[in-house]
Each structure stands twice: as structure tokens, then as C-alpha cells.
Amino acid sequence: MTDTSSALLQIENLTVQVRTSRGVAEPVQQFNLALQRGETLGLIGESGSGKTLAMLAVMGLLPRNATAHGSIRLNGQELLGMGEPAWCRVRGSRIGMVFQEPMTALNPTRRIGKQMVEVIRQHQPLSRREAQQKAITLLEEMQIPDAVEVMSRY
């Protein structure tokens, strides 16, 4: 049995309710998960089984017609119930999400570098130049060839 008290991410009894024109649905019911530092986890399930809604709850990004109940702790800090300013401090600096649909991740009408710099500066107190260098470094760490040139692409 895995010790969940030291889990990096601990989800307990997560239920997500969604208000629809037909009433309230609960696509996520009593979901539990313990992820230890260094572990990799994949969520697998049928379409519509609640995988995305559960992870949107973890990120504090549920749509307005949805609410989450239960407990989501990151390094022991309760995330559910935090206000948006607190979420902004957590997202991007302590937790992130790679969305499954790549066309929703980057805007194809804006340069890659501009988008990366914008996000970095939103979460870290860096100058534009420092954020640009960090973006290049991140692209290089991901082994993207010609990182400097990639920054100017759409």
C-alpha cells in the first residue's frame, strides 16, 4: 500500500457537478488519487468519463456551470476553495497542464515566443528580456531544434 500522507498530489472524494438545462449531472464521483514525487500517471477512460473535468478541477479551471467538492491537495496545500489570485500564484509556478488538443494550447495567429514570454511573465517577476531567454532555454530543454528561430514562428 502506498503512503498517501506524503503525496505530491492528493485527491480525495472528488465529485464534480455540472449544471445543465436538464438538471445537475455528476460526471466525476468520489474520485481518489495519490501521486508521489517522481511518479508518472496516465488517466485512461471512455470519452465522457470525467477525466478532463477531474483534471480541470485540479487546475482550478472548471467551467462556470461546474463545481467541485472533496479535497485536492498539492504538497499538503488545499486547492479547492482558493480564490483566483491564489490560483494564479499556483498555476504555472507549482502546477501545470498539457492539454490534449494542441490547437487550444497555442494561438496560431500569434508568434510562439510572444505567447511563451507572456505566460512566463504572468507567473514570474522577470523582465521581457529575461522571460525571452527563459523561453529559449525551455525550448532547448525540450530538444526543439533552432529554439531562437522557433520563437519567431507562428
Side-chain angles (χ1 to χ4, degrees), residues 16-19 53 56-57 60-67:
V16 177
Q17 296 178 325
V18 180
R19 291 177 309 282
L53 276 176
L56 288 174
L61 295 173
L62 285 173
R64 290 179 190 225
N65 66 329
T67 55

Side-chain angles (χ1 to χ4, degrees), residues 8 33 35 82 119 130 132 150:
L8 175 65
L33 176 143
L35 181 66
M82 289 192 324
V119 171
E130 291 169 325
Q132 190 166 20
V150 166

Side-chain angles (χ1 to χ4, degrees), residues 43-119:
L43 290 181
I44 300 169
E46 293 179 20
S47 179
S49 65
K51 302 177 302 291
T52 299
L53 276 176
M55 293 306 104
L56 288 174
V58 169
M59 295 295 296
L61 295 173
L62 285 173
R64 290 179 190 225
N65 66 329
T67 55
H69 307 282
S71 177
I72 301 172
R73 291 187 305 278
L74 179 64
N75 279 330
Q77 177 188 4
E78 182 61 48
L79 301 180
L80 281 184
M82 289 192 324
E84 188 58 25
W87 271 115
C88 287
R89 288 188 296 275
V90 171
R91 279 189 226 113
S93 61
R94 295 184 52 215
I95 192 169
M97 182 171 180
V98 177
F99 292 91
Q100 65 187 18
E101 189 58 50
M103 290 304 288
T104 63
L106 290 174
N107 182 334
T109 66
R110 298 180 62 217
R111 295 185 190 276
I112 292 169
K114 185 172 178 80
Q115 293 177 77
M116 290 183 70
V117 166
E118 182 180 291
V119 171

